[in-house]
Amino acid sequence: MRFTHAIVRPPPTTFATGISRSGLGPPDLGLALEQHDAYCRILERLGLSLVRLASDPELPDSTFVEDAAIVTSAGAILTRPGAGSRAGEVATLGAALRLSFPELEEITAPGTVDGGDVCQAGEHFFIGVSERTNSEGAAQLARWLARLRFSSSVVDIRAMPRLLHLKTGLSWLGRRRLLAAGEVVDHEVLRGWESVRVPDGEGYAANCVRVNDALLLAEGFPGTGAMLAGLGYEVVPVAMSEFRKMDGGLSCLSVRW
Ligand code: CIR
């Protein structure tokens, strides 16, 4: 599927007060804004029209727009993020998405879902159950996906402490191929898929994004970059250092459709 649209939201002045367990120190806001701008320009160069939401200092993690909605070619659903401090992100995203998806649905209590736990691989979705996404949320999402004729399977990542979200360690590369970090690569749910393992020490690069003919990959992971280029992908490096400090990956900076 080719993407034509994306929603993005720059990091707010309070960005450094968001949730982080990375231990990498506070982000530099000026550099984060530059990196965000560069990310947006890459999406535009790849042909996407961007909806740019205004930054909101009340919501320090709101630049990670992907967690508040799941968008597919057939419909969209707002999530109920697992971190209470992120609940306020949903309304703004909803207002923007309703313009394109009037039938917008919503995950409801007691379900929780973070979009970072939802990995679309063509007609199939892998749904992570994590500290943020609970079984009830995963079940609600699976039922909604089934109505749209997508299949899904659940991956419990609660015993994989290095993964905040499923997509921290899993990305779709197109067709039947996935990029996976060591923790997930041998998981039984990936049977029947071709899993490409991220080289040791480059786990952060497992969160990449296929955007039309390009593959956006975090800058600074030469082993992964060379491996994916060798497989024929047009790898586009993206500077992510400041978002990584706040536990954010490449995919979470946009909602794409
Ligand atoms: C959080 O902990 O919620 C944010 N600081 C980072 C969220 C990153 N989201 C993602 O990778 N999908």
Side-chain angles (χ1 to χ4, degrees), residues 129-162:
V129 167
S130 68
E131 267 177 33
R132 302 291 180 87
T133 297
N134 63 18
S135 300
E136 166 62 23
Q140 285 182 30
L141 183 61
R143 285 196 294 272
W144 177 76
L145 288 169
R147 291 208 304 276
L148 300 184
R149 310 224 173 282
F150 291 111
S151 57
S152 62
S153 46
V154 167
V155 190
D156 190 336
I157 63 160
R158 285 172 293 185
M160 305 177 193
R162 282 198 296 187

PDB file of all heavy atoms in Angstrom, residues 129-162:
ATOM      1  N   VAL A 129       0.988  -7.287  23.519  1.00  0.00           N
ATOM      2  CA  VAL A 129       0.473  -7.031  24.868  1.00  0.00           C
ATOM      3  C   VAL A 129       1.696  -6.675  25.695  1.00  0.00           C
ATOM      4  O   VAL A 129       2.688  -7.411  25.720  1.00  0.00           O
ATOM      5  CB  VAL A 129      -0.276  -8.257  25.425  1.00  0.00           C
ATOM      6  CG1 VAL A 129      -0.537  -8.108  26.919  1.00  0.00           C
ATOM      7  CG2 VAL A 129      -1.600  -8.428  24.684  1.00  0.00           C
ATOM      8  N   SER A 130       1.638  -5.498  26.325  1.00  0.00           N
ATOM      9  CA  SER A 130       2.830  -4.916  26.933  1.00  0.00           C
ATOM     10  C   SER A 130       2.442  -4.220  28.233  1.00  0.00           C
ATOM     11  O   SER A 130       1.320  -4.364  28.716  1.00  0.00           O
ATOM     12  CB  SER A 130       3.414  -3.875  25.965  1.00  0.00           C
ATOM     13  OG  SER A 130       2.512  -2.773  25.861  1.00  0.00           O
ATOM     14  N   GLU A 131       3.351  -3.427  28.768  1.00  0.00           N
ATOM     15  CA  GLU A 131       3.006  -2.590  29.927  1.00  0.00           C
ATOM     16  C   GLU A 131       1.933  -1.572  29.558  1.00  0.00           C
ATOM     17  O   GLU A 131       1.245  -1.036  30.405  1.00  0.00           O
ATOM     18  CB  GLU A 131       4.240  -1.777  30.344  1.00  0.00           C
ATOM     19  CG  GLU A 131       5.084  -2.407  31.387  1.00  0.00           C
ATOM     20  CD  GLU A 131       6.301  -1.551  31.654  1.00  0.00           C
ATOM     21  OE1 GLU A 131       6.227  -0.310  31.561  1.00  0.00           O
ATOM     22  OE2 GLU A 131       7.354  -2.152  31.932  1.00  0.00           O
ATOM     23  N   ARG A 132       1.791  -1.240  28.279  1.00  0.00           N
ATOM     24  CA  ARG A 132       0.869  -0.198  27.828  1.00  0.00           C
ATOM     25  C   ARG A 132      -0.421  -0.759  27.224  1.00  0.00           C
ATOM     26  O   ARG A 132      -1.480  -0.152  27.347  1.00  0.00           O
ATOM     27  CB  ARG A 132       1.555   0.682  26.774  1.00  0.00           C
ATOM     28  CG  ARG A 132       2.835   1.354  27.254  1.00  0.00           C
ATOM     29  CD  ARG A 132       2.545   2.425  28.295  1.00  0.00           C
ATOM     30  NE  ARG A 132       3.779   3.065  28.742  1.00  0.00           N
ATOM     31  CZ  ARG A 132       4.349   4.097  28.151  1.00  0.00           C
ATOM     32  NH1 ARG A 132       3.797   4.620  27.075  1.00  0.00           N
ATOM     33  NH2 ARG A 132       5.462   4.615  28.635  1.00  0.00           N
ATOM     34  N   THR A 133      -0.302  -1.858  26.507  1.00  0.00           N
ATOM     35  CA  THR A 133      -1.468  -2.453  25.832  1.00  0.00           C
ATOM     36  C   THR A 133      -1.889  -3.683  26.616  1.00  0.00           C
ATOM     37  O   THR A 133      -1.083  -4.604  26.780  1.00  0.00           O
ATOM     38  CB  THR A 133      -1.093  -2.841  24.391  1.00  0.00           C
ATOM     39  OG1 THR A 133      -0.740  -1.655  23.668  1.00  0.00           O
ATOM     40  CG2 THR A 133      -2.244  -3.549  23.681  1.00  0.00           C
ATOM     41  N   ASN A 134      -3.131  -3.698  27.113  1.00  0.00           N
ATOM     42  CA  ASN A 134      -3.555  -4.870  27.885  1.00  0.00           C
ATOM     43  C   ASN A 134      -4.345  -5.842  27.000  1.00  0.00           C
ATOM     44  O   ASN A 134      -4.663  -5.551  25.841  1.00  0.00           O
ATOM     45  CB  ASN A 134      -4.312  -4.444  29.160  1.00  0.00           C
ATOM     46  CG  ASN A 134      -5.619  -3.698  28.854  1.00  0.00           C
ATOM     47  OD1 ASN A 134      -6.139  -3.761  27.749  1.00  0.00           O
ATOM     48  ND2 ASN A 134      -6.141  -3.010  29.857  1.00  0.00           N
ATOM     49  N   SER A 135      -4.646  -7.002  27.579  1.00  0.00           N
ATOM     50  CA  SER A 135      -5.302  -8.053  26.789  1.00  0.00           C
ATOM     51  C   SER A 135      -6.672  -7.591  26.309  1.00  0.00           C
ATOM     52  O   SER A 135      -7.090  -7.908  25.191  1.00  0.00           O
ATOM     53  CB  SER A 135      -5.472  -9.320  27.620  1.00  0.00           C
ATOM     54  OG  SER A 135      -4.215  -9.766  28.020  1.00  0.00           O
ATOM     55  N   GLU A 136      -7.382  -6.845  27.143  1.00  0.00           N
ATOM     56  CA  GLU A 136      -8.716  -6.354  26.757  1.00  0.00           C
ATOM     57  C   GLU A 136      -8.606  -5.394  25.565  1.00  0.00           C
ATOM     58  O   GLU A 136      -9.385  -5.460  24.615  1.00  0.00           O
ATOM     59  CB  GLU A 136      -9.370  -5.664  27.975  1.00  0.00           C
ATOM     60  CG  GLU A 136     -10.593  -4.821  27.666  1.00  0.00           C
ATOM     61  CD  GLU A 136     -11.763  -5.601  27.066  1.00  0.00           C
ATOM     62  OE1 GLU A 136     -11.840  -6.821  27.254  1.00  0.00           O
ATOM     63  OE2 GLU A 136     -12.603  -4.952  26.385  1.00  0.00           O
ATOM     64  N   GLY A 137      -7.614  -4.498  25.617  1.00  0.00           N
ATOM     65  CA  GLY A 137      -7.410  -3.565  24.502  1.00  0.00           C
ATOM     66  C   GLY A 137      -7.043  -4.325  23.234  1.00  0.00           C
ATOM     67  O   GLY A 137      -7.562  -4.035  22.140  1.00  0.00           O
ATOM     68  N   ALA A 138      -6.164  -5.313  23.372  1.00  0.00           N
ATOM     69  CA  ALA A 138      -5.745  -6.108  22.202  1.00  0.00           C
ATOM     70  C   ALA A 138      -6.953  -6.830  21.608  1.00  0.00           C
ATOM     71  O   ALA A 138      -7.102  -6.892  20.381  1.00  0.00           O
ATOM     72  CB  ALA A 138      -4.657  -7.101  22.613  1.00  0.00           C
ATOM     73  N   ALA A 139      -7.831  -7.348  22.484  1.00  0.00           N
ATOM     74  CA  ALA A 139      -9.007  -8.080  21.993  1.00  0.00           C
ATOM     75  C   ALA A 139      -9.969  -7.131  21.272  1.00  0.00           C
ATOM     76  O   ALA A 139     -10.517  -7.461  20.211  1.00  0.00           O
ATOM     77  CB  ALA A 139      -9.699  -8.782  23.155  1.00  0.00           C
ATOM     78  N   GLN A 140     -10.181  -5.944  21.834  1.00  0.00           N
ATOM     79  CA  GLN A 140     -11.053  -4.957  21.157  1.00  0.00           C
ATOM     80  C   GLN A 140     -10.492  -4.621  19.775  1.00  0.00           C
ATOM     81  O   GLN A 140     -11.224  -4.549  18.789  1.00  0.00           O
ATOM     82  CB  GLN A 140     -11.149  -3.661  21.970  1.00  0.00           C
ATOM     83  CG  GLN A 140     -12.027  -3.741  23.194  1.00  0.00           C
ATOM     84  CD  GLN A 140     -12.105  -2.391  23.912  1.00  0.00           C
ATOM     85  OE1 GLN A 140     -12.004  -1.323  23.303  1.00  0.00           O
ATOM     86  NE2 GLN A 140     -12.284  -2.447  25.222  1.00  0.00           N
ATOM     87  N   LEU A 141      -9.188  -4.405  19.736  1.00  0.00           N
ATOM     88  CA  LEU A 141      -8.559  -4.041  18.463  1.00  0.00           C
ATOM     89  C   LEU A 141      -8.685  -5.182  17.452  1.00  0.00           C
ATOM     90  O   LEU A 141      -9.006  -4.955  16.274  1.00  0.00           O
ATOM     91  CB  LEU A 141      -7.085  -3.684  18.705  1.00  0.00           C
ATOM     92  CG  LEU A 141      -6.309  -3.226  17.486  1.00  0.00           C
ATOM     93  CD1 LEU A 141      -6.913  -1.954  16.888  1.00  0.00           C
ATOM     94  CD2 LEU A 141      -4.839  -2.988  17.844  1.00  0.00           C
ATOM     95  N   ALA A 142      -8.454  -6.403  17.910  1.00  0.00           N
ATOM     96  CA  ALA A 142      -8.538  -7.561  17.006  1.00  0.00           C
ATOM     97  C   ALA A 142      -9.955  -7.684  16.425  1.00  0.00           C
ATOM     98  O   ALA A 142     -10.119  -7.984  15.238  1.00  0.00           O
ATOM     99  CB  ALA A 142      -8.146  -8.839  17.754  1.00  0.00           C
ATOM    100  N   ARG A 143     -10.974  -7.432  17.266  1.00  0.00           N
ATOM    101  CA  ARG A 143     -12.363  -7.525  16.769  1.00  0.00           C
ATOM    102  C   ARG A 143     -12.629  -6.450  15.707  1.00  0.00           C
ATOM    103  O   ARG A 143     -13.252  -6.696  14.685  1.00  0.00           O
ATOM    104  CB  ARG A 143     -13.364  -7.377  17.933  1.00  0.00           C
ATOM    105  CG  ARG A 143     -13.458  -8.625  18.804  1.00  0.00           C
ATOM    106  CD  ARG A 143     -14.706  -8.592  19.690  1.00  0.00           C
ATOM    107  NE  ARG A 143     -14.668  -7.543  20.686  1.00  0.00           N
ATOM    108  CZ  ARG A 143     -14.123  -7.659  21.904  1.00  0.00           C
ATOM    109  NH1 ARG A 143     -13.546  -8.796  22.265  1.00  0.00           N
ATOM    110  NH2 ARG A 143     -14.147  -6.655  22.757  1.00  0.00           N
ATOM    111  N   TRP A 144     -12.133  -5.241  15.974  1.00  0.00           N
ATOM    112  CA  TRP A 144     -12.319  -4.148  15.004  1.00  0.00           C
ATOM    113  C   TRP A 144     -11.595  -4.468  13.697  1.00  0.00           C
ATOM    114  O   TRP A 144     -12.140  -4.291  12.598  1.00  0.00           O
ATOM    115  CB  TRP A 144     -11.802  -2.836  15.629  1.00  0.00           C
ATOM    116  CG  TRP A 144     -11.863  -1.667  14.705  1.00  0.00           C
ATOM    117  CD1 TRP A 144     -12.965  -0.946  14.351  1.00  0.00           C
ATOM    118  CD2 TRP A 144     -10.762  -1.074  13.993  1.00  0.00           C
ATOM    119  NE1 TRP A 144     -12.610   0.067  13.476  1.00  0.00           N
ATOM    120  CE2 TRP A 144     -11.269   0.004  13.244  1.00  0.00           C
ATOM    121  CE3 TRP A 144      -9.389  -1.350  13.939  1.00  0.00           C
ATOM    122  CZ2 TRP A 144     -10.462   0.807  12.440  1.00  0.00           C
ATOM    123  CZ3 TRP A 144      -8.576  -0.554  13.135  1.00  0.00           C
ATOM    124  CH2 TRP A 144      -9.118   0.517  12.389  1.00  0.00           C
ATOM    125  N   LEU A 145     -10.382  -4.992  13.794  1.00  0.00           N
ATOM    126  CA  LEU A 145      -9.612  -5.336  12.590  1.00  0.00           C
ATOM    127  C   LEU A 145     -10.338  -6.427  11.796  1.00  0.00           C
ATOM    128  O   LEU A 145     -10.383  -6.381  10.559  1.00  0.00           O
ATOM    129  CB  LEU A 145      -8.204  -5.801  12.971  1.00  0.00           C
ATOM    130  CG  LEU A 145      -7.266  -4.694  13.458  1.00  0.00           C
ATOM    131  CD1 LEU A 145      -6.000  -5.300  14.072  1.00  0.00           C
ATOM    132  CD2 LEU A 145      -6.884  -3.741  12.316  1.00  0.00           C
ATOM    133  N   ALA A 146     -10.902  -7.393  12.511  1.00  0.00           N
ATOM    134  CA  ALA A 146     -11.606  -8.490  11.824  1.00  0.00           C
ATOM    135  C   ALA A 146     -12.791  -7.940  11.029  1.00  0.00           C
ATOM    136  O   ALA A 146     -13.070  -8.398   9.913  1.00  0.00           O
ATOM    137  CB  ALA A 146     -12.063  -9.534  12.835  1.00  0.00           C
ATOM    138  N   ARG A 147     -13.466  -6.932  11.609  1.00  0.00           N
ATOM    139  CA  ARG A 147     -14.592  -6.329  10.872  1.00  0.00           C
ATOM    140  C   ARG A 147     -14.105  -5.678   9.571  1.00  0.00           C
ATOM    141  O   ARG A 147     -14.828  -5.598   8.588  1.00  0.00           O
ATOM    142  CB  ARG A 147     -15.325  -5.289  11.735  1.00  0.00           C
ATOM    143  CG  ARG A 147     -16.093  -5.906  12.886  1.00  0.00           C
ATOM    144  CD  ARG A 147     -17.302  -5.040  13.270  1.00  0.00           C
ATOM    145  NE  ARG A 147     -16.967  -3.665  13.612  1.00  0.00           N
ATOM    146  CZ  ARG A 147     -16.552  -3.258  14.817  1.00  0.00           C
ATOM    147  NH1 ARG A 147     -16.417  -4.146  15.793  1.00  0.00           N
ATOM    148  NH2 ARG A 147     -16.277  -2.007  15.041  1.00  0.00           N
ATOM    149  N   LEU A 148     -12.860  -5.180   9.596  1.00  0.00           N
ATOM    150  CA  LEU A 148     -12.293  -4.571   8.376  1.00  0.00           C
ATOM    151  C   LEU A 148     -11.621  -5.619   7.478  1.00  0.00           C
ATOM    152  O   LEU A 148     -10.951  -5.277   6.515  1.00  0.00           O
ATOM    153  CB  LEU A 148     -11.265  -3.494   8.751  1.00  0.00           C
ATOM    154  CG  LEU A 148     -11.733  -2.301   9.578  1.00  0.00           C
ATOM    155  CD1 LEU A 148     -10.596  -1.299   9.748  1.00  0.00           C
ATOM    156  CD2 LEU A 148     -12.927  -1.603   8.945  1.00  0.00           C
ATOM    157  N   ARG A 149     -11.752  -6.899   7.871  1.00  0.00           N
ATOM    158  CA  ARG A 149     -11.194  -8.030   7.125  1.00  0.00           C
ATOM    159  C   ARG A 149      -9.670  -8.137   7.212  1.00  0.00           C
ATOM    160  O   ARG A 149      -9.013  -8.659   6.318  1.00  0.00           O
ATOM    161  CB  ARG A 149     -11.636  -8.012   5.652  1.00  0.00           C
ATOM    162  CG  ARG A 149     -13.133  -7.844   5.477  1.00  0.00           C
ATOM    163  CD  ARG A 149     -13.707  -8.778   4.417  1.00  0.00           C
ATOM    164  NE  ARG A 149     -15.156  -8.736   4.347  1.00  0.00           N
ATOM    165  CZ  ARG A 149     -15.972  -9.355   5.216  1.00  0.00           C
ATOM    166  NH1 ARG A 149     -15.472 -10.077   6.201  1.00  0.00           N
ATOM    167  NH2 ARG A 149     -17.288  -9.261   5.105  1.00  0.00           N
ATOM    168  N   PHE A 150      -9.109  -7.644   8.288  1.00  0.00           N
ATOM    169  CA  PHE A 150      -7.685  -7.880   8.562  1.00  0.00           C
ATOM    170  C   PHE A 150      -7.575  -9.015   9.582  1.00  0.00           C
ATOM    171  O   PHE A 150      -8.388  -9.100  10.513  1.00  0.00           O
ATOM    172  CB  PHE A 150      -7.024  -6.640   9.188  1.00  0.00           C
ATOM    173  CG  PHE A 150      -6.882  -5.470   8.247  1.00  0.00           C
ATOM    174  CD1 PHE A 150      -7.642  -4.315   8.426  1.00  0.00           C
ATOM    175  CD2 PHE A 150      -5.981  -5.506   7.195  1.00  0.00           C
ATOM    176  CE1 PHE A 150      -7.509  -3.221   7.579  1.00  0.00           C
ATOM    177  CE2 PHE A 150      -5.835  -4.411   6.336  1.00  0.00           C
ATOM    178  CZ  PHE A 150      -6.598  -3.276   6.529  1.00  0.00           C
ATOM    179  N   SER A 151      -6.558  -9.862   9.429  1.00  0.00           N
ATOM    180  CA  SER A 151      -6.277 -10.870  10.452  1.00  0.00           C
ATOM    181  C   SER A 151      -5.309 -10.282  11.473  1.00  0.00           C
ATOM    182  O   SER A 151      -4.670  -9.256  11.212  1.00  0.00           O
ATOM    183  CB  SER A 151      -5.677 -12.125   9.808  1.00  0.00           C
ATOM    184  OG  SER A 151      -4.507 -11.775   9.095  1.00  0.00           O
ATOM    185  N   SER A 152      -5.216 -10.912  12.640  1.00  0.00           N
ATOM    186  CA  SER A 152      -4.271 -10.395  13.643  1.00  0.00           C
ATOM    187  C   SER A 152      -3.808 -11.527  14.546  1.00  0.00           C
ATOM    188  O   SER A 152      -4.464 -12.567  14.645  1.00  0.00           O
ATOM    189  CB  SER A 152      -4.925  -9.288  14.480  1.00  0.00           C
ATOM    190  OG  SER A 152      -6.027  -9.789  15.199  1.00  0.00           O
ATOM    191  N   SER A 153      -2.672 -11.318  15.170  1.00  0.00           N
ATOM    192  CA  SER A 153      -2.203 -12.248  16.193  1.00  0.00           C
ATOM    193  C   SER A 153      -1.556 -11.447  17.311  1.00  0.00           C
ATOM    194  O   SER A 153      -1.051 -10.342  17.084  1.00  0.00           O
ATOM    195  CB  SER A 153      -1.227 -13.273  15.597  1.00  0.00           C
ATOM    196  OG  SER A 153      -0.284 -12.644  14.784  1.00  0.00           O
ATOM    197  N   VAL A 154      -1.617 -12.009  18.504  1.00  0.00           N
ATOM    198  CA  VAL A 154      -1.133 -11.296  19.690  1.00  0.00           C
ATOM    199  C   VAL A 154       0.254 -11.809  20.074  1.00  0.00           C
ATOM    200  O   VAL A 154       0.519 -13.003  20.018  1.00  0.00           O
ATOM    201  CB  VAL A 154      -2.141 -11.485  20.847  1.00  0.00           C
ATOM    202  CG1 VAL A 154      -1.548 -11.045  22.166  1.00  0.00           C
ATOM    203  CG2 VAL A 154      -3.426 -10.705  20.551  1.00  0.00           C
ATOM    204  N   VAL A 155       1.127 -10.874  20.429  1.00  0.00           N
ATOM    205  CA  VAL A 155       2.482 -11.212  20.886  1.00  0.00           C
ATOM    206  C   VAL A 155       2.641 -10.624  22.283  1.00  0.00           C
ATOM    207  O   VAL A 155       2.596  -9.404  22.442  1.00  0.00           O
ATOM    208  CB  VAL A 155       3.564 -10.583  19.972  1.00  0.00           C
ATOM    209  CG1 VAL A 155       4.934 -11.149  20.310  1.00  0.00           C
ATOM    210  CG2 VAL A 155       3.229 -10.751  18.504  1.00  0.00           C
ATOM    211  N   ASP A 156       2.820 -11.474  23.271  1.00  0.00           N
ATOM    212  CA  ASP A 156       2.986 -10.985  24.640  1.00  0.00           C
ATOM    213  C   ASP A 156       4.460 -10.623  24.850  1.00  0.00           C
ATOM    214  O   ASP A 156       5.326 -11.497  24.817  1.00  0.00           O
ATOM    215  CB  ASP A 156       2.555 -12.073  25.625  1.00  0.00           C
ATOM    216  CG  ASP A 156       2.475 -11.536  27.043  1.00  0.00           C
ATOM    217  OD1 ASP A 156       3.151 -10.529  27.346  1.00  0.00           O
ATOM    218  OD2 ASP A 156       1.747 -12.134  27.847  1.00  0.00           O
ATOM    219  N   ILE A 157       4.726  -9.340  25.029  1.00  0.00           N
ATOM    220  CA  ILE A 157       6.133  -8.915  25.186  1.00  0.00           C
ATOM    221  C   ILE A 157       6.449  -8.530  26.637  1.00  0.00           C
ATOM    222  O   ILE A 157       7.484  -7.938  26.907  1.00  0.00           O
ATOM    223  CB  ILE A 157       6.499  -7.748  24.234  1.00  0.00           C
ATOM    224  CG1 ILE A 157       5.662  -6.489  24.547  1.00  0.00           C
ATOM    225  CG2 ILE A 157       6.365  -8.166  22.779  1.00  0.00           C
ATOM    226  CD1 ILE A 157       6.285  -5.209  24.007  1.00  0.00           C
ATOM    227  N   ARG A 158       5.550  -8.894  27.572  1.00  0.00           N
ATOM    228  CA  ARG A 158       5.768  -8.447  28.956  1.00  0.00           C
ATOM    229  C   ARG A 158       7.021  -9.039  29.583  1.00  0.00           C
ATOM    230  O   ARG A 158       7.559  -8.485  30.522  1.00  0.00           O
ATOM    231  CB  ARG A 158       4.527  -8.737  29.802  1.00  0.00           C
ATOM    232  CG  ARG A 158       3.399  -7.749  29.494  1.00  0.00           C
ATOM    233  CD  ARG A 158       2.124  -8.138  30.178  1.00  0.00           C
ATOM    234  NE  ARG A 158       1.581  -9.377  29.643  1.00  0.00           N
ATOM    235  CZ  ARG A 158       0.423  -9.907  29.996  1.00  0.00           C
ATOM    236  NH1 ARG A 158      -0.327  -9.309  30.900  1.00  0.00           N
ATOM    237  NH2 ARG A 158      -0.008 -11.034  29.458  1.00  0.00           N
ATOM    238  N   ALA A 159       7.512 -10.148  29.025  1.00  0.00           N
ATOM    239  CA  ALA A 159       8.747 -10.726  29.570  1.00  0.00           C
ATOM    240  C   ALA A 159       9.974 -10.275  28.762  1.00  0.00           C
ATOM    241  O   ALA A 159      11.039 -10.881  28.862  1.00  0.00           O
ATOM    242  CB  ALA A 159       8.638 -12.247  29.570  1.00  0.00           C
ATOM    243  N   MET A 160       9.809  -9.238  27.958  1.00  0.00           N
ATOM    244  CA  MET A 160      10.928  -8.723  27.146  1.00  0.00           C
ATOM    245  C   MET A 160      11.191  -7.278  27.575  1.00  0.00           C
ATOM    246  O   MET A 160      10.746  -6.328  26.913  1.00  0.00           O
ATOM    247  CB  MET A 160      10.577  -8.779  25.654  1.00  0.00           C
ATOM    248  CG  MET A 160      10.170 -10.152  25.175  1.00  0.00           C
ATOM    249  SD  MET A 160       9.679 -10.114  23.425  1.00  0.00           S
ATOM    250  CE  MET A 160       8.891 -11.719  23.250  1.00  0.00           C
ATOM    251  N   PRO A 161      11.879  -7.080  28.709  1.00  0.00           N
ATOM    252  CA  PRO A 161      11.950  -5.756  29.326  1.00  0.00           C
ATOM    253  C   PRO A 161      12.610  -4.673  28.463  1.00  0.00           C
ATOM    254  O   PRO A 161      12.381  -3.493  28.684  1.00  0.00           O
ATOM    255  CB  PRO A 161      12.759  -6.000  30.607  1.00  0.00           C
ATOM    256  CG  PRO A 161      13.420  -7.322  30.432  1.00  0.00           C
ATOM    257  CD  PRO A 161      12.602  -8.102  29.462  1.00  0.00           C
ATOM    258  N   ARG A 162      13.375  -5.086  27.458  1.00  0.00           N
ATOM    259  CA  ARG A 162      14.014  -4.041  26.634  1.00  0.00           C
ATOM    260  C   ARG A 162      13.040  -3.417  25.643  1.00  0.00           C
ATOM    261  O   ARG A 162      13.333  -2.398  25.028  1.00  0.00           O
ATOM    262  CB  ARG A 162      15.218  -4.620  25.893  1.00  0.00           C
ATOM    263  CG  ARG A 162      16.429  -4.766  26.823  1.00  0.00           C
ATOM    264  CD  ARG A 162      17.694  -4.906  26.038  1.00  0.00           C
ATOM    265  NE  ARG A 162      17.677  -6.151  25.253  1.00  0.00           N
ATOM    266  CZ  ARG A 162      18.711  -6.608  24.571  1.00  0.00           C
ATOM    267  NH1 ARG A 162      19.842  -5.927  24.544  1.00  0.00           N
ATOM    268  NH2 ARG A 162      18.630  -7.730  23.903  1.00  0.00           N
TER     269      ARG A 162
END
